[in-house]
Amino acid sequence: PREPSQRSRCPSSSACSRVRALSRDMLRAAIEAAERNDQPPMHILLVDDEEEALGLLAGILQREGHAVDTCEDAESALVRLASATYDVMMTDQAMPGMSGTDLVLAARRLQSGLRCVVASGHTAPDESAQGDARWIGKPFDVDALLTLLGSA
């Protein structure tokens, strides 16, 4: 009979080696996953008048672990900004009613530290209107967007 204080040994050295290799591989995979997603979750407000694009981008960001609220126009975005705090707002530049750069200026009056990203399929917005908001061209690479949102 074995004493309770004795440790059990692996049945064979090859079984032990496989377990150690599997543990190393799992640890390496976990570290790589953490490095790929090194940004803490953010609360993001997405504003775009194109409902399909809005839903697609929201889904991508949610899968990355971010909390996402969406608005289809600048006016509803301003209502949200008056009642909730966001880390980042990403807006389309060309929307009916109020442009993305005008929305950034109005949003900053409500939340002065709000980080902003303006997306446009055209040329970059005028820097004087944009303030310190970041700009990304459409179509954009998802990885580039995620990096930009984290550094906005």
Side-chain angles (χ1 to χ4, degrees):
R2 203 175 89 199
E3 291 184 32
S5 63
Q6 287 181 322
R7 292 183 177 213
S8 62
R9 296 180 185 260
C10 288
S12 72
S13 62
S14 65
C16 288
S17 296
R18 285 194 305 271
V19 168
R20 281 193 291 273
L22 180 60
S23 296
R24 281 192 305 268
D25 291 344
M26 290 172 61
L27 179 60
R28 187 177 302 116
I31 290 169
E32 288 171 359
E35 288 173 347
R36 281 193 307 275
N37 189 13
D38 60 352
Q39 300 171 356
M42 295 180 285
H43 192 194
I44 301 171
L45 178 61
L46 295 178
V47 188
D48 196 321
D49 60 322
E50 294 181 27
E51 186 178 346
E52 188 175 325
L54 193 61
L56 181 64
L57 185 54
I60 290 168
L61 293 171
Q62 288 167 339
R63 280 190 297 280
E64 290 292 321
H66 303 294
V68 179
D69 292 331
T70 61
C71 294
E72 292 183 22
D73 58 65
E75 291 76 19
S76 59
L78 292 172
V79 170
R80 289 271 182 129
L81 288 162
S83 62
T85 302
Y86 293 91
D87 298 306
V88 179
M89 177 182 73
M90 180 176 174
T91 181
D92 186 30
Q93 170 62 13
M95 295 186 295
M98 182 184 288
S99 71
T101 50
D102 289 340
L103 174 57
V104 167
L105 295 172
R108 293 268 174 73
R109 287 192 286 274
L110 295 170
Q111 295 185 26
S112 61
L114 182 66
R115 297 177 292 162
C116 299
V117 175
V118 178
S120 176
H122 307 289
T123 59
D126 180 336
E127 285 187 29
S128 63
Q130 187 181 353
D132 65 348
R134 299 293 189 96
W135 176 83
I136 189 167
K138 287 183 175 181
F140 46 77
D141 175 75
V142 173
D143 288 332
L145 174 65
L146 293 171
T147 300
L148 184 63
L149 289 173
S151 67

